[in-house]
Amino acid sequence: MNPVMQWMEKHFIPIAGRIGSQRHLVAIRDGFVAIMPLIIIGSFAVLINNLPIAFFQNFMADLFGESWTTLGGNIWDGSFAILSLLVVAGISYNLAKSYDVDALSAALLAVGCYIILTPTTDDWGLSYAWTGAQGLFVGVLTAVLVTELFRLLYHSKFTINMPEGVPTGVVKSFRALIPAAVTLIVVSSLQMLITALTDGSIHELVFAVIQQPLQALGNTLPAAFIITFLNQLLWFFGLHGTNILGPVIDSIYLPLLEENIRLFAEGTSAADVPYIVTKPFLDAYVFMGGSGTTLALIAAIFLVSASKHYRTIGKLSAPAGVFNINEPVLFGLPVVLNPVMLIPFLTVPVLLTLTSYLAIASGLVPRTVALVPWTTPPFISGYLVTGGSFAGVVLQLFNITLATIFYIPFIKAAMRAEQKNFDDKGDTGDDGTTKAS
């Protein structure tokens, strides 16, 4: 047996199994899985709207008018724009259900509490900046903590019990009345306290705490390591690392790219412009297929996975993954909060940051001198960002191959864990009896 597999079988898989069965993590996982249809549909809407093919974009505009993207935009409004709200409801519902309390009441209450914590616009509307993926971290915490408080109060003596003969729906509503009231008061008081202390919201507080320490980072390899690692770590816990770190990445790396572009336009070769680490450096060479280089993960699934679940998710995710949209594989496999995927998901992008930096610093690959749409597929983007050099394509091919090789043993470990879990449980029904074959 492969030494890596032996080590993971002995040390990693048992721990991952215990973590994977933890009640709150299971509820979080199931909450994300529940919204998979919306994520997939929203991903394809974004893909079609941003397909980086001029002929397609012109054809659609000529056929349907300049506002043809409104259809996909509306789908985005009903999926990604309210992703956090959907996740809050899903997590709270599943967690409350595991405790055998009123799951629907808990989910509605959690959504209401999340809205209390979410900033509003000038016209009293909810800000999409925090109801989408950027608010996932606060959303997950809200769902878990609100449901726990609701559960404690729901099982206490401070509830309204209705007499026999009253419809079940009415009984549940009145029993949840006092727990819901207390929870709303607690959350509202918390928001008032945060507003008084920070003149903002908990969303903005979290954003500031993450963003501010990164402001001093510059265009160095250690800075690129930190940015890449933090992006992966945030995504692993379900927080949209790309959106949260976006202002930092843009403010640091776009000016450097603009300087490269200016010098390149003046006649300096792409190999001689000054800056290595820029925004397209990360987009083109590190985040191929999206954060985590998940295009390589999909390739690894097709190469070694015999799991029907994995291969189905791979097939559904591959078309969007080619255009660097990876929410289907992140939440469908899932990668988010999946202990088996922790090591490769964090390590692969950092490793590719190193290989890309060394390749460019050594002169094998030109520096980046163009900013392309983030949906531009690998290989095309590698050619374009280097000003038309196939060396960028070769570097992308090398990085994807290296990342795929790195993911393979972890895919195998995940399959072995699934098989071991199946063997331990046996083919049993919900009542614990063995099903007839």
Side-chain angles (χ1 to χ4, degrees):
M1 183 182 293
N2 188 299
V4 175
M5 295 296 295
Q6 287 181 330
W7 181 88
M8 294 184 68
E9 184 77 24
K10 182 178 180 180
H11 299 286
F12 189 72
I13 297 300
I15 296 174
R18 288 194 293 270
I19 295 175
S21 61
Q22 204 277 331
R23 183 194 301 269
H24 298 88
L25 294 181
V26 169
I28 293 171
R29 179 201 66 197
D30 291 345
F32 279 114
V33 170
I35 63 173
M36 269 299 297
L38 290 175
I39 291 176
I40 293 174
I41 296 170
S43 294
F44 279 99
V46 173
L47 169 60
I48 293 171
N49 273 10
N50 296 277
L51 198 65
I53 300 175
F55 171 78
F56 172 79
Q57 296 289 338
N58 293 334
F59 173 78
M60 295 297 287
D62 292 339
L63 186 62
F64 299 108
E66 294 297 330
S67 61
W68 73 272
T69 56
T70 301
L71 176 64
N74 291 338
I75 295 174
W76 183 87
D77 288 344
S79 54
F80 282 104
I82 57 169
L83 187 62
S84 291
L85 289 172
L86 300 173
V87 166
V88 168
I91 293 174
S92 179
Y93 181 90
N94 283 285
L95 182 57
K97 189 176 179 181
S98 73
Y99 282 121
D100 196 28
V101 300
D102 187 357
L104 180 59
S105 294
L108 295 175
L109 176 62
V111 171
C113 290
Y114 182 80
I115 291 175
I116 290 175
L117 297 172
T118 302
T120 57
T121 60
D122 293 338
D123 56 355
W124 299 101
L126 288 178
S127 173
Y128 275 173
W130 305 111
T131 59
Q134 188 164 289
L136 279 175
F137 184 71
V138 174
V140 171
L141 288 179
T142 301
V144 172
L145 296 178
V146 165
T147 305
E148 286 291 342
L149 178 58
F150 177 78
R151 173 185 67 87
L152 293 174
L153 295 171
Y154 193 84
H155 287 310
S156 70
K157 297 179 180 179
F158 302 101
T159 57
I160 300 174
N161 296 314
M162 302 298 290
E164 294 184 5
V166 176
T168 303
V170 177
V171 172
K172 289 183 177 180
S173 296
F174 274 89
R175 185 174 181 183
L177 180 60
I178 294 178
V182 173
T183 303
L184 288 170
I185 291 172
V186 170
V187 173
S188 180
S189 300
L190 174 64
Q191 174 60 17
M192 291 174 62
L193 177 63
I194 294 173
T195 301
L197 295 177
T198 66
D199 195 27
S201 69
I202 189 171
H203 290 277
E204 295 159 323
L205 178 62
V206 169
F207 185 81
V209 169
I210 294 174
Q211 179 177 347
Q212 292 303 320
L214 301 177
Q215 291 297 323
L217 294 177
N219 179 45
T220 63
L221 182 58
F225 281 155
I226 294 172
I227 290 288
T228 302
F229 180 81
L230 285 177
N231 180 72
Q232 298 307 122
L233 188 63
L234 291 168
W235 263 115
F236 181 78
F237 287 102
L239 185 61
H240 201 299
T242 308
N243 281 357
I244 289 179
L245 299 179
V248 179
I249 294 174
D250 290 345
S251 62
I252 294 175
Y253 293 129
L254 283 181
L256 305 184
L257 175 65
E258 290 171 357
E259 179 67 9
N260 281 0
I261 293 174
R262 183 185 67 80
L263 293 173
F264 184 69
E266 293 176 356
T268 305
S269 69
D272 296 326
V273 295
Y275 298 110
I276 295 176
V277 183
T278 63
K279 191 175 187 300
F281 169 91
L282 297 173
D283 291 341
Y285 300 131
V286 180
F287 301 135
M288 290 174 288
S291 297
T293 322
T294 46
L295 194 59
L297 172 59
I298 294 171
I301 289 173
F302 288 139
L303 287 173
V304 301
S305 178
S307 167
K308 183 178 180 180
H309 167 70
Y310 276 33
R311 295 188 72 85
T312 300
I313 292 298
K315 291 175 183 177
L316 289 173
S317 304
V322 170
F323 294 91
N324 305 315
I325 299 170
N326 67 344
E327 280 83 358
V329 71
L330 287 180
F331 298 121
L333 198 61
V335 174
V336 172
L337 291 174
N338 184 345
V340 177
M341 288 293 127
L342 173 62
I343 292 177
F345 189 69
L346 296 184
T347 305
V348 164
V350 175
L351 177 62
L352 300 192
T353 300
L354 176 61
T355 60
S356 303
Y357 187 93
L358 293 177
I360 295 174
S362 65
L364 295 174
V365 178
R367 289 161 168 77
T368 53
V369 292
L371 182 63
V372 299
W374 63 273
T375 50
T376 304
F379 308 139
I380 297 176
S381 61
Y383 178 81
L384 295 176
V385 299
T386 54
S389 172
F390 282 101
V393 178
V394 174
L395 177 57
Q396 287 184 312
L397 180 60
F398 175 83
N399 281 355
I400 287 180
T401 303
L402 180 63
T404 302
I405 294 171
F406 199 99
Y407 268 117
I408 282 175
F410 294 91
I411 293 294
K412 290 182 177 179
M415 289 191 301
R416 292 175 64 86
E418 284 186 358
Q419 184 61 45
K420 186 175 185 300
N421 184 55
F422 178 80
D423 292 341
D424 289 343
K425 289 183 176 180
D427 192 13
T428 59
D430 295 338
D431 57 357
T433 58
T434 302
K435 293 180 182 179
S437 57

mmCIF file of all heavy atoms in Angstrom, residues 94-131:
data_model
loop_
_atom_site.group_PDB
_atom_site.id
_atom_site.type_symbol
_atom_site.label_atom_id
_atom_site.label_comp_id
_atom_site.label_asym_id
_atom_site.label_seq_id
_atom_site.Cartn_x
_atom_site.Cartn_y
_atom_site.Cartn_z
ATOM 1 N N ASN A 94 -31.828 21.881 9.384
ATOM 2 C CA ASN A 94 -31.233 20.565 9.606
ATOM 3 C C ASN A 94 -30.718 20.392 11.033
ATOM 4 O O ASN A 94 -30.829 19.303 11.605
ATOM 5 C CB ASN A 94 -30.095 20.342 8.611
ATOM 6 C CG ASN A 94 -30.598 20.001 7.224
ATOM 7 O OD1 ASN A 94 -31.049 18.902 6.947
ATOM 8 N ND2 ASN A 94 -30.539 20.980 6.320
ATOM 9 N N LEU A 95 -30.170 21.442 11.616
ATOM 10 C CA LEU A 95 -29.691 21.343 12.990
ATOM 11 C C LEU A 95 -30.863 21.162 13.953
ATOM 12 O O LEU A 95 -30.811 20.320 14.860
ATOM 13 C CB LEU A 95 -28.885 22.590 13.357
ATOM 14 C CG LEU A 95 -28.274 22.611 14.756
ATOM 15 C CD1 LEU A 95 -27.361 21.406 14.977
ATOM 16 C CD2 LEU A 95 -27.517 23.916 14.990
ATOM 17 N N ALA A 96 -31.932 21.949 13.775
ATOM 18 C CA ALA A 96 -33.104 21.816 14.641
ATOM 19 C C ALA A 96 -33.740 20.436 14.481
ATOM 20 O O ALA A 96 -34.177 19.819 15.462
ATOM 21 C CB ALA A 96 -34.121 22.909 14.312
ATOM 22 N N LYS A 97 -33.775 19.947 13.269
ATOM 23 C CA LYS A 97 -34.333 18.619 13.010
ATOM 24 C C LYS A 97 -33.543 17.542 13.729
ATOM 25 O O LYS A 97 -34.108 16.570 14.246
ATOM 26 C CB LYS A 97 -34.346 18.361 11.502
ATOM 27 C CG LYS A 97 -35.090 17.104 11.084
ATOM 28 C CD LYS A 97 -35.126 16.988 9.566
ATOM 29 C CE LYS A 97 -35.852 15.719 9.134
ATOM 30 N NZ LYS A 97 -35.874 15.600 7.652
ATOM 31 N N SER A 98 -32.213 17.699 13.810
ATOM 32 C CA SER A 98 -31.383 16.707 14.506
ATOM 33 C C SER A 98 -31.647 16.696 16.000
ATOM 34 O O SER A 98 -31.406 15.700 16.675
ATOM 35 C CB SER A 98 -29.897 16.982 14.246
ATOM 36 O OG SER A 98 -29.447 18.130 14.947
ATOM 37 N N TYR A 99 -32.132 17.821 16.525
ATOM 38 C CA TYR A 99 -32.486 17.920 17.942
ATOM 39 C C TYR A 99 -33.950 17.574 18.202
ATOM 40 O O TYR A 99 -34.410 17.607 19.347
ATOM 41 C CB TYR A 99 -32.226 19.334 18.457
ATOM 42 C CG TYR A 99 -30.781 19.653 18.740
ATOM 43 C CD1 TYR A 99 -30.144 20.703 18.087
ATOM 44 C CD2 TYR A 99 -30.052 18.924 19.672
ATOM 45 C CE1 TYR A 99 -28.817 21.025 18.358
ATOM 46 C CE2 TYR A 99 -28.733 19.237 19.943
ATOM 47 C CZ TYR A 99 -28.124 20.284 19.286
ATOM 48 O OH TYR A 99 -26.818 20.588 19.562
ATOM 49 N N ASP A 100 -34.701 17.316 17.136
ATOM 50 C CA ASP A 100 -36.121 16.990 17.244
ATOM 51 C C ASP A 100 -36.917 18.148 17.830
ATOM 52 O O ASP A 100 -37.788 17.966 18.681
ATOM 53 C CB ASP A 100 -36.332 15.713 18.081
ATOM 54 C CG ASP A 100 -37.733 15.140 17.891
ATOM 55 O OD1 ASP A 100 -38.315 15.362 16.804
ATOM 56 O OD2 ASP A 100 -38.251 14.491 18.825
ATOM 57 N N VAL A 101 -36.591 19.360 17.370
ATOM 58 C CA VAL A 101 -37.408 20.530 17.710
ATOM 59 C C VAL A 101 -38.048 21.033 16.420
ATOM 60 O O VAL A 101 -37.772 20.519 15.335
ATOM 61 C CB VAL A 101 -36.567 21.642 18.377
ATOM 62 C CG1 VAL A 101 -35.935 21.125 19.654
ATOM 63 C CG2 VAL A 101 -35.493 22.168 17.431
ATOM 64 N N ASP A 102 -38.902 22.021 16.527
ATOM 65 C CA ASP A 102 -39.638 22.534 15.378
ATOM 66 C C ASP A 102 -38.664 23.150 14.370
ATOM 67 O O ASP A 102 -38.220 24.295 14.518
ATOM 68 C CB ASP A 102 -40.652 23.575 15.845
ATOM 69 C CG ASP A 102 -41.575 24.043 14.723
ATOM 70 O OD1 ASP A 102 -41.380 23.596 13.577
ATOM 71 O OD2 ASP A 102 -42.480 24.852 15.010
ATOM 72 N N ALA A 103 -38.342 22.384 13.329
ATOM 73 C CA ALA A 103 -37.310 22.795 12.387
ATOM 74 C C ALA A 103 -37.725 24.007 11.557
ATOM 75 O O ALA A 103 -36.914 24.903 11.300
ATOM 76 C CB ALA A 103 -36.949 21.625 11.467
ATOM 77 N N LEU A 104 -38.989 24.053 11.133
ATOM 78 C CA LEU A 104 -39.438 25.172 10.311
ATOM 79 C C LEU A 104 -39.400 26.479 11.098
ATOM 80 O O LEU A 104 -38.940 27.509 10.586
ATOM 81 C CB LEU A 104 -40.842 24.903 9.785
ATOM 82 C CG LEU A 104 -41.446 25.995 8.894
ATOM 83 C CD1 LEU A 104 -40.566 26.235 7.673
ATOM 84 C CD2 LEU A 104 -42.866 25.623 8.475
ATOM 85 N N SER A 105 -39.865 26.444 12.333
ATOM 86 C CA SER A 105 -39.831 27.651 13.159
ATOM 87 C C SER A 105 -38.400 28.115 13.394
ATOM 88 O O SER A 105 -38.100 29.313 13.354
ATOM 89 C CB SER A 105 -40.525 27.394 14.501
ATOM 90 O OG SER A 105 -41.903 27.157 14.336
ATOM 91 N N ALA A 106 -37.500 27.172 13.645
ATOM 92 C CA ALA A 106 -36.096 27.513 13.871
ATOM 93 C C ALA A 106 -35.491 28.154 12.628
ATOM 94 O O ALA A 106 -34.756 29.146 12.718
ATOM 95 C CB ALA A 106 -35.312 26.266 14.261
ATOM 96 N N ALA A 107 -35.787 27.610 11.435
ATOM 97 C CA ALA A 107 -35.232 28.142 10.198
ATOM 98 C C ALA A 107 -35.743 29.556 9.935
ATOM 99 O O ALA A 107 -34.967 30.454 9.566
ATOM 100 C CB ALA A 107 -35.582 27.218 9.034
ATOM 101 N N LEU A 108 -37.038 29.777 10.111
ATOM 102 C CA LEU A 108 -37.603 31.109 9.899
ATOM 103 C C LEU A 108 -37.020 32.111 10.890
ATOM 104 O O LEU A 108 -36.718 33.263 10.537
ATOM 105 C CB LEU A 108 -39.122 31.057 10.028
ATOM 106 C CG LEU A 108 -39.856 30.219 8.967
ATOM 107 C CD1 LEU A 108 -41.346 30.153 9.282
ATOM 108 C CD2 LEU A 108 -39.634 30.799 7.576
ATOM 109 N N LEU A 109 -36.856 31.668 12.131
ATOM 110 C CA LEU A 109 -36.287 32.545 13.157
ATOM 111 C C LEU A 109 -34.842 32.899 12.824
ATOM 112 O O LEU A 109 -34.420 34.056 12.978
ATOM 113 C CB LEU A 109 -36.363 31.854 14.518
ATOM 114 C CG LEU A 109 -35.716 32.589 15.698
ATOM 115 C CD1 LEU A 109 -36.406 33.938 15.925
ATOM 116 C CD2 LEU A 109 -35.795 31.734 16.959
ATOM 117 N N ALA A 110 -34.065 31.914 12.363
ATOM 118 C CA ALA A 110 -32.662 32.168 12.029
ATOM 119 C C ALA A 110 -32.537 33.174 10.887
ATOM 120 O O ALA A 110 -31.673 34.062 10.914
ATOM 121 C CB ALA A 110 -31.971 30.853 11.661
ATOM 122 N N VAL A 111 -33.398 33.054 9.876
ATOM 123 C CA VAL A 111 -33.384 34.012 8.767
ATOM 124 C C VAL A 111 -33.726 35.409 9.275
ATOM 125 O O VAL A 111 -33.089 36.408 8.902
ATOM 126 C CB VAL A 111 -34.363 33.584 7.659
ATOM 127 C CG1 VAL A 111 -34.520 34.688 6.626
ATOM 128 C CG2 VAL A 111 -33.877 32.305 6.984
ATOM 129 N N GLY A 112 -34.741 35.494 10.156
ATOM 130 C CA GLY A 112 -35.102 36.786 10.723
ATOM 131 C C GLY A 112 -33.955 37.410 11.505
ATOM 132 O O GLY A 112 -33.692 38.616 11.392
ATOM 133 N N CYS A 113 -33.235 36.599 12.279
ATOM 134 C CA CYS A 113 -32.097 37.107 13.050
ATOM 135 C C CYS A 113 -30.965 37.552 12.136
ATOM 136 O O CYS A 113 -30.292 38.557 12.406
ATOM 137 C CB CYS A 113 -31.608 36.033 14.016
ATOM 138 S SG CYS A 113 -32.751 35.694 15.377
ATOM 139 N N TYR A 114 -30.754 36.806 11.059
ATOM 140 C CA TYR A 114 -29.695 37.189 10.119
ATOM 141 C C TYR A 114 -30.009 38.538 9.478
ATOM 142 O O TYR A 114 -29.113 39.372 9.275
ATOM 143 C CB TYR A 114 -29.533 36.117 9.042
ATOM 144 C CG TYR A 114 -28.430 36.405 8.064
ATOM 145 C CD1 TYR A 114 -27.106 36.140 8.381
ATOM 146 C CD2 TYR A 114 -28.713 36.961 6.816
ATOM 147 C CE1 TYR A 114 -26.085 36.416 7.491
ATOM 148 C CE2 TYR A 114 -27.703 37.240 5.918
ATOM 149 C CZ TYR A 114 -26.391 36.959 6.263
ATOM 150 O OH TYR A 114 -25.386 37.248 5.365
ATOM 151 N N ILE A 115 -31.276 38.768 9.165
ATOM 152 C CA ILE A 115 -31.669 40.048 8.579
ATOM 153 C C ILE A 115 -31.446 41.182 9.578
ATOM 154 O O ILE A 115 -31.040 42.295 9.193
ATOM 155 C CB ILE A 115 -33.136 39.990 8.112
ATOM 156 C CG1 ILE A 115 -33.250 39.048 6.901
ATOM 157 C CG2 ILE A 115 -33.665 41.377 7.765
ATOM 158 C CD1 ILE A 115 -34.667 38.810 6.428
ATOM 159 N N ILE A 116 -31.691 40.931 10.861
ATOM 160 C CA ILE A 116 -31.418 41.947 11.889
ATOM 161 C C ILE A 116 -29.949 42.350 11.860
ATOM 162 O O ILE A 116 -29.601 43.527 12.008
ATOM 163 C CB ILE A 116 -31.799 41.413 13.290
ATOM 164 C CG1 ILE A 116 -33.315 41.303 13.427
ATOM 165 C CG2 ILE A 116 -31.236 42.311 14.396
ATOM 166 C CD1 ILE A 116 -33.769 40.679 14.726
ATOM 167 N N LEU A 117 -29.064 41.366 11.650
ATOM 168 C CA LEU A 117 -27.623 41.615 11.680
ATOM 169 C C LEU A 117 -27.076 42.174 10.373
ATOM 170 O O LEU A 117 -25.904 42.551 10.311
ATOM 171 C CB LEU A 117 -26.885 40.316 12.015
ATOM 172 C CG LEU A 117 -27.175 39.700 13.389
ATOM 173 C CD1 LEU A 117 -26.539 38.323 13.491
ATOM 174 C CD2 LEU A 117 -26.679 40.608 14.505
ATOM 175 N N THR A 118 -27.894 42.212 9.335
ATOM 176 C CA THR A 118 -27.419 42.598 8.007
ATOM 177 C C THR A 118 -27.676 44.069 7.738
ATOM 178 O O THR A 118 -28.800 44.551 7.932
ATOM 179 C CB THR A 118 -28.119 41.746 6.924
ATOM 180 O OG1 THR A 118 -27.862 40.356 7.181
ATOM 181 C CG2 THR A 118 -27.609 42.106 5.541
ATOM 182 N N PRO A 119 -26.665 44.817 7.265
ATOM 183 C CA PRO A 119 -26.866 46.245 6.956
ATOM 184 C C PRO A 119 -27.902 46.430 5.855
ATOM 185 O O PRO A 119 -28.093 45.565 5.001
ATOM 186 C CB PRO A 119 -25.485 46.699 6.475
ATOM 187 C CG PRO A 119 -24.526 45.691 7.012
ATOM 188 C CD PRO A 119 -25.275 44.398 7.053
ATOM 189 N N THR A 120 -28.547 47.587 5.888
ATOM 190 C CA THR A 120 -29.533 47.926 4.858
ATOM 191 C C THR A 120 -29.006 49.059 3.987
ATOM 192 O O THR A 120 -28.075 49.777 4.365
ATOM 193 C CB THR A 120 -30.866 48.353 5.490
ATOM 194 O OG1 THR A 120 -30.634 49.466 6.377
ATOM 195 C CG2 THR A 120 -31.478 47.212 6.285
ATOM 196 N N THR A 121 -29.604 49.211 2.823
ATOM 197 C CA THR A 121 -29.247 50.313 1.933
ATOM 198 C C THR A 121 -29.987 51.570 2.368
ATOM 199 O O THR A 121 -30.776 51.554 3.316
ATOM 200 C CB THR A 121 -29.612 49.953 0.485
ATOM 201 O OG1 THR A 121 -31.020 49.707 0.404
ATOM 202 C CG2 THR A 121 -28.870 48.697 0.043
ATOM 203 N N ASP A 122 -29.759 52.655 1.654
ATOM 204 C CA ASP A 122 -30.389 53.938 2.017
ATOM 205 C C ASP A 122 -31.905 53.894 1.922
ATOM 206 O O ASP A 122 -32.598 54.649 2.606
ATOM 207 C CB ASP A 122 -29.853 55.058 1.111
ATOM 208 C CG ASP A 122 -28.381 55.341 1.370
ATOM 209 O OD1 ASP A 122 -27.905 55.008 2.470
ATOM 210 O OD2 ASP A 122 -27.704 55.864 0.460
ATOM 211 N N ASP A 123 -32.431 53.022 1.050
ATOM 212 C CA ASP A 123 -33.882 52.929 0.918
ATOM 213 C C ASP A 123 -34.442 51.747 1.710
ATOM 214 O O ASP A 123 -35.497 51.215 1.402
ATOM 215 C CB ASP A 123 -34.286 52.813 -0.553
ATOM 216 C CG ASP A 123 -33.615 51.628 -1.244
ATOM 217 O OD1 ASP A 123 -32.780 50.969 -0.589
ATOM 218 O OD2 ASP A 123 -33.917 51.384 -2.419
ATOM 219 N N TRP A 124 -33.705 51.292 2.730
ATOM 220 C CA TRP A 124 -34.131 50.251 3.667
ATOM 221 C C TRP A 124 -34.204 48.861 3.040
ATOM 222 O O TRP A 124 -34.846 47.954 3.573
ATOM 223 C CB TRP A 124 -35.485 50.600 4.319
ATOM 224 C CG TRP A 124 -35.417 51.873 5.108
ATOM 225 C CD1 TRP A 124 -35.858 53.101 4.709
ATOM 226 C CD2 TRP A 124 -34.839 52.054 6.398
ATOM 227 N NE1 TRP A 124 -35.610 54.044 5.676
ATOM 228 C CE2 TRP A 124 -34.985 53.425 6.732
ATOM 229 C CE3 TRP A 124 -34.230 51.211 7.314
ATOM 230 C CZ2 TRP A 124 -34.532 53.960 7.928
ATOM 231 C CZ3 TRP A 124 -33.779 51.746 8.507
ATOM 232 C CH2 TRP A 124 -33.933 53.102 8.804
ATOM 233 N N GLY A 125 -33.523 48.660 1.946
ATOM 234 C CA GLY A 125 -33.435 47.326 1.364
ATOM 235 C C GLY A 125 -32.199 46.604 1.883
ATOM 236 O O GLY A 125 -31.236 47.225 2.340
ATOM 237 N N LEU A 126 -32.230 45.291 1.850
ATOM 238 C CA LEU A 126 -31.063 44.522 2.276
ATOM 239 C C LEU A 126 -29.935 44.691 1.262
ATOM 240 O O LEU A 126 -30.165 44.704 0.048
ATOM 241 C CB LEU A 126 -31.413 43.038 2.405
ATOM 242 C CG LEU A 126 -32.292 42.637 3.590
ATOM 243 C CD1 LEU A 126 -32.581 41.145 3.533
ATOM 244 C CD2 LEU A 126 -31.626 42.989 4.907
ATOM 245 N N SER A 127 -28.722 44.790 1.748
ATOM 246 C CA SER A 127 -27.575 44.955 0.872
ATOM 247 C C SER A 127 -27.132 43.607 0.313
ATOM 248 O O SER A 127 -26.827 42.676 1.070
ATOM 249 C CB SER A 127 -26.417 45.601 1.647
ATOM 250 O OG SER A 127 -25.238 45.620 0.868
ATOM 251 N N TYR A 128 -27.091 43.496 -1.014
ATOM 252 C CA TYR A 128 -26.628 42.261 -1.641
ATOM 253 C C TYR A 128 -25.174 41.958 -1.270
ATOM 254 O O TYR A 128 -24.728 40.826 -1.408
ATOM 255 C CB TYR A 128 -26.751 42.365 -3.157
ATOM 256 C CG TYR A 128 -28.109 42.001 -3.706
ATOM 257 C CD1 TYR A 128 -28.418 42.194 -5.048
ATOM 258 C CD2 TYR A 128 -29.094 41.467 -2.883
ATOM 259 C CE1 TYR A 128 -29.661 41.852 -5.564
ATOM 260 C CE2 TYR A 128 -30.336 41.130 -3.389
ATOM 261 C CZ TYR A 128 -30.614 41.326 -4.725
ATOM 262 O OH TYR A 128 -31.846 40.981 -5.212
ATOM 263 N N ALA A 129 -24.454 42.971 -0.828
ATOM 264 C CA ALA A 129 -23.060 42.745 -0.456
ATOM 265 C C ALA A 129 -22.936 41.745 0.682
ATOM 266 O O ALA A 129 -21.913 41.071 0.823
ATOM 267 C CB ALA A 129 -22.409 44.076 -0.049
ATOM 268 N N TRP A 130 -23.995 41.620 1.498
ATOM 269 C CA TRP A 130 -23.919 40.747 2.668
ATOM 270 C C TRP A 130 -24.914 39.597 2.631
ATOM 271 O O TRP A 130 -24.816 38.682 3.438
ATOM 272 C CB TRP A 130 -24.151 41.581 3.942
ATOM 273 C CG TRP A 130 -23.209 42.738 4.045
ATOM 274 C CD1 TRP A 130 -23.529 44.054 3.937
ATOM 275 C CD2 TRP A 130 -21.795 42.686 4.235
ATOM 276 N NE1 TRP A 130 -22.409 44.838 4.051
ATOM 277 C CE2 TRP A 130 -21.328 44.022 4.245
ATOM 278 C CE3 TRP A 130 -20.878 41.646 4.403
ATOM 279 C CZ2 TRP A 130 -19.985 44.345 4.401
ATOM 280 C CZ3 TRP A 130 -19.534 41.970 4.565
ATOM 281 C CH2 TRP A 130 -19.107 43.302 4.556
ATOM 282 N N THR A 131 -25.883 39.631 1.731
ATOM 283 C CA THR A 131 -26.810 38.503 1.635
ATOM 284 C C THR A 131 -26.274 37.417 0.714
ATOM 285 O O THR A 131 -26.785 36.299 0.695
ATOM 286 C CB THR A 131 -28.188 38.950 1.107
ATOM 287 O OG1 THR A 131 -28.030 39.552 -0.185
ATOM 288 C CG2 THR A 131 -28.834 39.937 2.059
#
